[in-house]
Amino acid sequence: MKTLDNTFTRILLTVLPAVTVVPGLAGAADPNAQPTGMPDGTKDLTVDQVVHWTNFRSYYQGHTGRANVQMDIVDDRGQKRTRRFTILRRDDQPDANAPIVRVAVTLTDSTAKQVKESLTKKLEEALKDVDGVESMDSVSEPGRSTTRVVGKKDVKAEAFLKAVTKAVDGVRSDLPEAASRPKSELVEGDHAYTGEQKYYVYFRKPADVAKTVFLVWKHIGKNDDRWMYFPNLDLVKRISAADKRTSFVGSHFLYEDVSGRSIDLDKHELIDTNKTYFVLKNTPKNPNDVEFGHYVMYVHRKTFLVVQTTYYDKQGKAYRKYTAKGVKTIEGYPTVVKSQMKDLKTGGYTNLSYSDVDYNVALPDDIFDKRYLRRPPRKYLGK
Amino acid sequence: MSNTKRWLAAMTVASVAMLVTGAAGQDGPSLPPGLEQSDPNESANPTLPSGLGEDDGGSGPDLPSGLDEDTDTPDTTDAPGEEKPALHWLDFSGFLDARAGARLQPDRYQDDDFTLGEVRLQTDLQTSWRGMTFKLVTDFMWDTIPDGHAVDLERGEGWVDLRQANVMFTPLDFMDLKVGRQILTWGTGDQLFINDQFPKDWQAFFIGRDVEYLKAPSDAIRINTFTEWVNADFVYTPQFDADRYVTGQRLSYWNSSLGRRAGQDAVIDADRPASWFRDDEFALRMHKTIDGIELAGYGYWGYWKRPLGMNAAGRAYFPNLNVYGASVRGQWAGGIANVEAGYYDSVEDRNGDDPFVPNSEIRLLVGYERDWPELADDLTIGVQYYLEWMMDHDEYRLNAPAGTREADRHRHVITLRVTKLLMNQNLELSLFTYFSPSDMDAYFRPSASYKIDDHWTIDAGGNVFLGKYDHTFFGQLERNTNVYVGLRYRW
């Protein structure tokens, strides 16, 4: 099933995350531009604060959203191709009021494997029986173990922090003597992005993919569920998603650009703060997993929007550049409505633009069901 | 007639060549990556971007519109003049497709070396009114391979083929209804079907039409219901819809009565159940997704989709068939795994001793597909194991007429799909292989498809059949091995 199966599969694979790029399609239930806890960017901030709020602004504003998306893909020969689709997004727990505690332990001169065996596993073992734990995920890296523990909805944050702290202190005697004392802290800010999300993507152009639907249920702690519907075959195909750093619908954006790269995968340094920007240098913790050596982001201080990101290869040479080209404040959310990703080696680029962006739309949960693959919800997709 | 076909083939090939060279020649050759630096500011040197490391306060990229300093960003809504993608009240799309294909070897049972030579115009009209969606998809054909038939919408013969003509609506909150001519699909296999008893067009598949034509239309009523406990789909087909199978007219096949391959000398003229509401079909699927695992149970009450029986007059016919089955599909090891099984209850030969009616069978399918970024970008590999297990093989052997080429108790098939995308995903290379270690036969489907722009696509491929024996499923088609080329404009 050539065109149907594969090209399209790929398109869908990658497109879905595009939704998150839709500004504000994710995020705070708070309809204000300044969500609870967002610090004043004109003051000096720590690197963690900058990273957290930049990530939030890029991918997690608003608890539902819709947008019409157009991608103009221009290749190195100057040939242009256009993709158009409509994205609907809904957070499963828009008002999730769940506390999150981050537990960190350091162990000097240890490898990632040693950290996993001697720290992470033991902490996870101790944490899983704590009252009120909904889920957790961990990162083991050389010298450091980090576990994020998500509490059940409506569990009181302070009590939850206490319970977690008590549990990790309880296993301290099982950890290597050289390990630091486990540090537990509440993760501030909006928690929407810890919830599950659903996306419905309806393709309009080009003609060979028109009316095709891509449905994604984005999960935490396990792989997303993805389906594609091909109307000409009446075929509902299940899609896998092992491949994150490949092109998104044949564009210069990668799947991970649009879905968002987990902030836990990189080391972050605040290499400059000037009047307008925080400048972040991000280096992958596992360089073998990715094609870049590092990337540098210019984050607008007032809004925490990323204005420019340049990717450098492992020899330190710039080869890809993202630029925000236009911003609108929509329903209180600063929103990048025009942007570009450019391949600096070939000169090819993709311009991305959003229109009819709407946050906190009343999208019922059931339209994200497989039933609506065969019956597009026109009311919400728009005329 | 043959000249017309050659002309069409030549035109298709020539247009393809023109488009390819035309596309490649545009704007002159470009330098290969690494030889050019179009913008000195994006220099290859590992310098920091402008502004980095300088202590001048406001350095960095220019702010985009909407983020200008010291102006409050207004809360804008989209300008009304902006172009918006629209679902018009009448949605009109379609394509024009020219396609030619030829045998790679002569076939003594076919006059024509061409297997395919056609121009097809598809029009797709869709509109909505009071919550009802109407759809009409019609193919107009200029087919240079004569099948000697007038327009037959049931068999898909003649100059017009009605693909869809239906209305869909939601009479109750929990129910969707679709009535009319429609394409129907369910089940979990990849180009293998166990519980999907909706009509297929195998001939289109074997000669290189677009894969969309593997599914032939049904004239049916489909009712989908959705509840908290389970979802149930019912399909009622008031008049039996057979597969569009290989008849010998265009492709040759194994004729067991003659004990040899046959083609235009012995075109199958089957006795087809054709009474409305008596020769009908009923299909049912119950399905539910639990924690990302898709579970389904199936039932079918109708006929074998190909004329596998022979009546007293020696004429091929479609014996009764019921099918009961189940499937599971979910994520596994970074990919998608599926298992599907079905029991084929051959109602007219439950003892398995009637040599003129197929025996009952169990069919089983296990599949796995995933991307392999570890090996290459944009690479997908899928494997399937498929089994047909004849229930009363001893009875079958005992009663088979002398001289019959007997089928094995078990027919094993393995399929392998390898798909790779190149050139910004505009070029797709694919190879789908069926291989049966028990029949000692195979079917290879190599194909290449290139999107010249948002409208034009060219594709080429082959259908290569190999077999140790003349009577096996793919082996019988050996003399039909063909290559094809196609060109399509879509809007």
Side-chain angles (χ1 to χ4, degrees):
Chain A
M1 311 218 171
K2 359 178 241 214
T3 316
L4 282 171
D5 228 1
N6 281 288
T7 310
F8 227 37
T9 295
R10 176 74 45 193
I11 288 179
L12 294 181
L13 252 173
T14 32
V15 159
L16 180 52
V19 178
T20 41
V21 156
V22 179
L25 276 192
D30 182 349
N32 296 313
Q34 287 292 105
T36 330
M38 182 175 264
D40 181 355
T42 59
K43 306 236 167 81
D44 279 343
L45 301 179
T46 66
V47 61
D48 280 352
Q49 284 176 303
V50 175
V51 168
H52 174 77
W53 288 104
T54 302
N55 189 48
F56 167 80
R57 187 62 98 196
S58 299
Y59 298 106
Y60 299 105
Q61 325 195 68
H63 66 267
T64 67
R66 80 169 293 287
N68 291 330
V69 183
Q70 175 159 336
M71 292 185 123
D72 293 314
I73 305 164
V74 180
D75 68 16
D76 48 352
R77 295 202 308 263
Q79 290 208 42
K80 186 171 131 181
R81 290 176 167 83
T82 299
R83 310 265 180 273
R84 274 186 184 177
F85 44 91
T86 298
I87 295 179
L88 307 176
R89 186 197 116 246
R90 183 185 152 100
D91 291 357
D92 264 5
Q93 305 154 310
D95 52 2
N97 196 16
I100 302 169
V101 173
R102 187 187 292 144
V103 179
V105 187
T106 57
L107 180 59
T108 321
D109 292 333
S110 56
T111 64
K113 200 175 167 196
Q114 288 165 338
V115 166
K116 185 173 180 183
E117 293 302 321
S118 67
L119 300 177
T120 309
K121 278 192 174 174
K122 288 177 180 162
L123 290 169
E124 284 187 341
E125 190 59 30
L127 288 166
K128 76 178 200 298
D129 297 327
V130 171
D131 263 2
V133 169
E134 175 69 36
S135 66
M136 62 180 123
D137 52 274
S138 306
V139 179
S140 302
E141 57 189 298
R144 184 182 166 95
S145 161
T146 313
T147 302
R148 206 172 56 153
V149 195
V150 181
K152 288 196 165 74
K153 211 170 136 177
D154 300 327
V155 167
K156 290 268 184 297
E158 290 305 323
F160 187 60
L161 174 64
K162 245 183 219 171
V164 167
T165 309
K166 192 177 162 199
V168 294
D169 282 345
V171 286
R172 212 184 149 194
S173 54
D174 293 345
L175 305 181
E177 272 188 26
S180 69
R181 185 182 169 178
K183 187 178 152 200
S184 312
E185 57 180 359
L186 277 173
V187 180
E188 289 180 78
D190 200 277
H191 302 156
Y193 68 94
T194 63
E196 313 224 317
Q197 295 178 322
K198 289 175 178 170
Y199 298 102
Y200 187 105
V201 183
Y202 183 82
F203 284 84
R204 298 173 188 273
K205 295 265 167 167
D208 62 338
V209 296
K211 301 185 181 77
T212 302
V213 182
F214 186 34
L215 177 67
V216 179
W217 295 356
K218 195 172 174 179
H219 299 299
I220 304 299
K222 62 174 182 172
N223 286 332
D224 302 347
D225 288 313
R226 294 155 192 261
W227 292 270
M228 244 166 58
Y229 178 65
F230 303 99
N232 289 343
L233 283 164
D234 186 45
L235 175 67
V236 177
K237 187 174 161 57
R238 192 88 184 249
I239 308 292
S240 76
D243 200 356
K244 288 190 174 165
R245 294 204 65 82
T246 61
S247 162
F248 161 75
V249 281
S251 77
H252 296 87
F253 287 90
L254 303 185
Y255 176 86
E256 210 170 56
D257 297 328
V258 262
S259 62
R261 179 173 165 81
S262 168
I263 56 177
D264 292 334
L265 294 174
D266 299 320
K267 268 187 303 206
H268 311 278
E269 298 163 71
L270 189 56
I271 56 175
D272 190 21
T273 302
N274 61 39
K275 189 178 151 219
T276 315
Y277 296 111
F278 296 115
V279 186
L280 284 172
K281 180 180 175 183
N282 309 280
T283 311
K285 290 175 181 172
N286 291 313
N288 294 333
D289 290 353
V290 292
E291 81 290 355
F292 60 82
H294 70 276
Y295 58 101
V296 173
M297 299 167 101
Y298 282 81
V299 178
H300 186 237
R301 294 182 64 167
K302 254 188 169 170
T303 59
F304 294 96
L305 285 177
V306 178
V307 172
Q308 182 181 297
T309 304
T310 307
Y311 292 83
Y312 296 84
D313 64 19
K314 296 188 179 175
Q315 286 73 48
K317 181 176 159 185
Y319 70 98
R320 274 177 92 220
K321 189 161 93 174
Y322 165 87
T323 315
K325 300 269 189 186
V327 172
K328 280 182 183 171
T329 302
I330 295 165
E331 297 162 37
Y333 298 104
T335 301
V336 176
V337 293
K338 286 194 190 314
S339 60
Q340 182 184 77
M341 185 66 83
K342 186 165 186 180
D343 181 332
L344 302 178
K345 283 183 182 157
T346 67
Y349 60 89
T350 297
N351 287 337
L352 191 59
S353 61
Y354 300 102
S355 56
D356 302 299
V357 178
D358 200 355
Y359 293 111
N360 301 320
V361 191
L363 294 176
D365 187 49
D366 65 359
I367 64 167
F368 296 90
D369 190 86
K370 279 179 279 172
R371 175 182 188 179
Y372 287 84
L373 294 174
R374 288 190 163 89
R375 189 187 139 199
R378 277 151 215 285
K379 183 177 165 192
Y380 303 103
L381 291 170
K383 281 276 174 186
Chain B
M1 205 57 196
S2 192
N3 279 339
T4 321
K5 268 166 297 201
R6 291 206 165 81
W7 179 84
L8 176 62
M11 286 300 287
T12 310
V13 172
S15 335
V16 166
M18 266 164 53
L19 279 157
V20 173
T21 51
Q26 269 181 22
D27 302 324
S30 56
L31 285 170
L35 280 187
E36 64 174 347
Q37 282 302 332
S38 53
D39 183 346
N41 292 329
E42 289 154 3
S43 136
N45 298 325
T47 51
L48 290 168
S50 67
L52 253 192
E54 293 171 18
D55 197 15
D56 63 356
S59 59
D62 292 340
L63 284 169
S65 67
L67 276 190
D68 299 333
E69 283 296 290
D70 304 324
T71 52
D72 277 334
T73 50
D75 192 333
T76 49
T77 48
D78 292 308
E82 266 183 64
E83 191 188 3
K84 293 173 185 176
L87 279 174
H88 299 292
W89 67 276
L90 180 67
D91 184 288
F92 178 60
S93 58
F95 61 78
L96 188 64
D97 181 289
R99 202 156 280 273
R103 279 188 182 76
L104 288 181
Q105 66 292 305
D107 183 337
R108 60 192 294 194
Y109 303 112
Q110 299 291 335
D111 293 341
D112 212 315
D113 289 340
F114 283 84
T115 45
L116 189 60
E118 66 194 29
V119 178
R120 176 189 298 263
L121 172 70
Q122 181 174 96
T123 60
D124 182 336
L125 283 160
Q126 192 172 314
T127 187
S128 297
W129 181 71
R130 295 198 173 185
M132 293 188 285
T133 302
F134 299 85
K135 193 163 176 67
L136 180 67
V137 182
T138 317
D139 281 17
F140 301 94
M141 293 270 290
W142 177 48
D143 189 346
T144 65
I145 315 286
D147 50 20
H149 294 284
V151 169
D152 184 329
L153 294 180
E154 199 62 30
R155 291 179 170 83
E157 291 163 352
W159 63 273
V160 60
D161 185 10
L162 189 60
R163 298 286 300 167
Q164 296 190 55
N166 59 63
V167 54
M168 183 169 163
F169 56 101
T170 301
L172 298 164
D173 269 357
F174 61 90
M175 181 186 286
D176 294 336
L177 212 64
K178 194 171 191 176
V179 181
R181 176 159 284 216
Q182 55 190 297
I183 305 293
L184 292 160
T185 301
W186 64 37
T188 64
D190 183 6
Q191 296 179 12
L192 284 174
F193 303 92
I194 292 179
N195 291 296
D196 179 338
Q197 291 292 326
F198 304 114
K200 323 286 185 311
D201 187 343
W202 291 105
Q203 180 160 290
F205 190 65
F206 293 152
I207 61 177
R209 287 191 182 131
D210 190 281
V211 72
E212 130 178 26
Y213 291 95
L214 172 57
K215 297 299 290 193
S218 304
D219 295 314
I221 297 169
R222 187 189 77 192
I223 303 168
N224 294 347
T225 62
F226 304 89
T227 69
E228 296 237 343
W229 302 284
V230 71
N231 302 316
D233 303 337
F234 309 87
V235 177
Y236 179 68
T237 309
Q239 185 201 34
F240 170 62
D241 283 319
D243 282 355
R244 296 175 178 180
Y245 51 91
V246 171
T247 62
Q249 181 68 45
R250 188 180 299 223
L251 300 176
S252 42
Y253 69 100
W254 174 259
N255 184 309
S256 55
S257 312
L258 299 173
R260 61 163 172 83
R261 284 205 185 97
Q264 288 169 351
D265 60 323
V267 172
I268 297 173
D269 175 26
D271 188 8
R272 198 182 178 99
S275 288
W276 281 75
F277 304 107
R278 208 179 61 203
D279 297 329
D280 52 3
E281 298 172 273
F282 184 68
L284 165 70
R285 177 175 67 146
M286 314 280 277
H287 59 109
K288 187 174 178 65
T289 303
I290 299 172
D291 210 16
I293 310 288
E294 294 169 279
L295 306 168
Y298 307 85
Y300 170 78
W301 296 266
Y303 303 85
W304 290 87
K305 306 298 279 193
R306 290 186 294 140
L308 296 175
M310 195 189 295
N311 64 19
R315 193 169 173 202
Y317 82 107
F318 299 85
N320 285 98
L321 175 71
N322 298 342
V323 180
Y324 312 96
S327 69
V328 181
R329 179 165 69 177
Q331 298 194 54
W332 183 66
I336 303 297
N338 61 291
V339 178
E340 183 168 341
Y343 177 69
Y344 280 48
D345 176 12
S346 191
V347 182
E348 297 175 30
D349 185 21
R350 284 193 164 137
N351 297 325
D353 54 6
D354 184 340
F356 300 109
V357 175
N359 275 18
S360 296
E361 288 177 16
I362 283 176
R363 295 193 180 185
L364 175 70
L365 171 70
V366 180
Y368 181 66
E369 181 177 293
R370 67 163 282 188
D371 298 325
W372 294 93
E374 301 88 341
L375 301 176
D377 286 342
D378 288 332
L379 175 70
T380 307
I381 298 176
V383 291
Q384 297 179 105
Y385 166 74
Y386 171 78
L387 170 70
E388 291 178 358
W389 175 7
M390 194 190 289
M391 289 286 88
D392 300 297
H393 193 251
D394 295 341
E395 292 293 326
Y396 161 80
R397 292 193 60 181
L398 223 52
N399 292 287
T404 303
R405 300 285 179 88
E406 286 174 12
D408 295 334
R409 183 188 303 267
H410 299 116
R411 176 172 174 249
H412 305 273
V413 178
I414 291 160
T415 75
L416 174 66
R417 167 195 287 284
V418 180
T419 307
K420 169 88 176 124
L421 304 180
L422 298 153
M423 300 171 74
N424 294 341
Q425 301 179 359
N426 290 309
L427 174 63
E428 175 177 314
L429 303 178
S430 170
L431 176 63
F432 194 99
T433 304
Y434 298 84
F435 167 66
S436 172
S438 49
D439 281 356
M440 294 301 289
D441 64 359
Y443 172 29
F444 300 91
R445 289 172 56 83
S447 72
S449 166
Y450 179 68
K451 293 181 187 182
I452 298 164
D453 60 21
D454 285 340
H455 298 289
W456 290 96
T457 306
I458 54 170
D459 70 313
N463 293 283
V464 179
F465 304 94
L466 294 173
K468 186 173 178 187
Y469 308 107
D470 291 351
H471 67 284
T472 59
F473 192 83
F474 296 120
Q476 65 180 317
L477 299 167
E478 203 170 41
R479 308 298 290 177
N480 299 308
T481 291
N482 62 79
V483 293
Y484 63 88
V485 58
L487 175 65
R488 178 176 285 207
Y489 179 85
R490 307 187 81 120
W491 72 87

